[in-house]
Amino acid sequence: MTESFHRSGEYQNPYEGQQQAPVNPEWPPPPAYAPAHAPQPKKRGRGPLALIAAVAIVAAAIGGGTAYGIQELTGNDTVASSSTSTNVVPSSQKGTTAGVAKAVSPSIVEVNATSNAGSSTGSGVIITSGGEIITNNHVIAGASKVKVTTSDGKSYTAKVVGTDSKKDLALIKLENASGLKAATLGDSDGIQVGDQVVAIGSPEGLTGTVTSGIISALDRDVTVPTEGDQGQGQQWGQGQGQGDEWPFEFGGRQFNGDTGSDTTTYKALQTDASLNPGNSGGALIDMNGNIIGINSAMYSPTSQASSSSDAGSVGLGFAIPINTVKADLAKLRAGSTD
């Protein structure tokens, strides 16, 4: 104890005779090494370090949506890509065809290609705000002029940047375009049979047409003509060709005409969402609004001599998986003409 009593009962202060500091039991004095009014250190919690931490937390939370966030913050012409399933559709309309259509339609365009042999109508998907567009190679193969119409009715001239006939893909770039709404490219590896999907394109020149269905099969081997044979095929043969009417082979049988001798085979998503002539190059979309495929071919019951206007969907359509597109994008941007 720090205190004691004399036998007489008088209190004895053990510190008597020593210099004492005034005592306040409720507010003890500050330590001798720090002045009572020392300036407080500046808080740095709101500075750059905090911003970096916040960005890291957000990036971890949104997963595959990181690329989209970087694009919005920096303004770079970057492809918005998702390794998981990013919710592009507003939460109030999540999982609805109407919600998907409203969110993604501004990113889908109509593509009109003209050559000496005729013209072709197809679709395309905007992948950067500066006007890069993915479409099918067979939509623009051999074209001397390419015109693109966006969902708001604006028309642009486009140039072909790169092509890959073995995957039936092409990259075109709009001239003098900016501020366009780019689609978010999803992850086709996560798709399962039975998943609901939406298709958007320009069948028969009807821009922005929306259909819906499911994924009916995966990894279908679809065989199509390469660029060398396309000029002799269905695309230009009728004078007013439509992208999806061109020949393809599946399960040992040929559809929509002869595929010729120079062909290529790729793995495709199969869907029963209605695809009609002109849907080629358009988007196959999951219910969160992510692009999971590029529509490329459909079975048509019409004969080679029939006009494209007689063709129609019978629930057997094919799309190039979007992961194939993402893997090919650098090659297309480099100006490939394969």
Side-chain angles (χ1 to χ4, degrees):
M1 297 179 63
T2 59
E3 54 196 80
S4 62
F5 293 88
H6 288 291
R7 291 181 180 179
S8 61
E10 295 179 357
Y11 174 81
Q12 179 182 7
N13 186 344
Y15 299 100
E16 185 175 7
Q18 301 181 22
Q19 184 178 0
Q20 300 181 52
V23 176
N24 186 333
E26 296 181 359
W27 300 98
Y33 55 82
H37 301 289
Q40 297 297 316
K42 294 182 179 180
K43 294 182 179 181
R44 303 182 62 184
R46 299 292 183 181
L49 291 179
L51 176 59
I52 293 173
V55 170
I57 292 170
V58 172
I62 64 177
T66 304
Y68 179 78
I70 293 174
Q71 178 184 1
E72 291 299 300
L73 290 172
T74 64
N76 292 336
D77 209 16
T78 306
V79 176
S81 179
S82 170
S83 59
T84 57
S85 186
T86 302
N87 290 325
V88 179
V89 180
S91 57
S92 61
Q93 294 183 303
K94 183 180 177 181
T96 67
T97 300
V100 172
K102 183 177 181 180
V104 184
S105 288
S107 302
I108 311 303
V109 301
E110 179 180 304
V111 179
N112 293 280
T114 305
S115 77
N116 294 331
S119 62
S120 175
T121 299
S123 306
V125 178
I126 300 171
I127 61 170
T128 63
S129 60
E132 284 186 326
I133 292 172
I134 285 289
T135 187
N136 285 139
N137 180 58
H138 73 261
V139 171
I140 54 86
S144 57
K145 181 179 180 181
V146 179
K147 186 180 78 171
V148 169
T149 305
T150 55
S151 64
D152 58 3
K154 293 182 180 179
S155 293
Y156 297 87
T157 299
K159 65 177 181 179
V160 178
V161 177
T163 60
D164 186 345
S165 60
K166 296 187 182 303
K167 294 183 176 66
D168 193 19
L169 292 171
L171 179 69
I172 62 177
K173 179 74 162 57
L174 305 186
E175 296 180 357
N176 304 317
S178 63
L180 301 179
K181 184 175 181 179
T184 298
L185 308 186
D187 181 8
S188 52
D189 287 346
I191 299 303
Q192 298 181 19
V193 173
D195 283 352
Q196 290 182 303
V197 290
V198 174
I200 305 179
S202 297
E204 302 292 354
L206 300 174
T207 305
T209 296
V210 178
T211 58
S212 65
I214 63 168
I215 295 292
S216 52
L218 301 172
D219 297 327
R220 292 299 200 195
D221 288 326
V222 176
T223 300
V224 296
T226 56
E227 186 174 351
D229 284 346
Q230 286 176 15
Q232 303 170 16
Q234 293 290 79
Q235 182 183 1
W236 304 108
Q238 305 299 328
Q240 179 64 37
Q242 300 290 339
D244 297 283
E245 194 188 5
W246 76 316
F248 70 94
E249 181 180 328
F250 169 70
R253 299 174 59 197
Q254 295 193 40
F255 303 96
N256 306 343
D258 186 3
T259 57
S261 58
D262 190 3
T263 62
T264 185
T265 301
Y266 59 82
K267 298 288 186 180
L269 303 174
Q270 182 179 308
T271 179
D272 70 349
S274 294
L275 301 181
N276 292 286
N279 270 114
S280 273
L284 191 66
I285 314 157
D286 69 17
M287 299 310 290
N288 288 323
N290 301 287
I291 311 300
I292 57 167
I294 300 298
N295 298 321
S296 57
M298 55 160 279
Y299 165 67
S300 173
T302 60
S303 66
Q304 184 171 352
S306 300
S307 66
S308 63
S309 61
D310 294 331
S313 173
V314 293
L316 187 60
F318 302 97
I320 301 167
I322 202 63
N323 286 6
T324 300
V325 177
K326 291 192 287 187
D328 209 34
L329 191 53
K331 178 180 178 180
L332 295 172
R333 281 176 161 168
S336 169
T337 56
D338 291 351

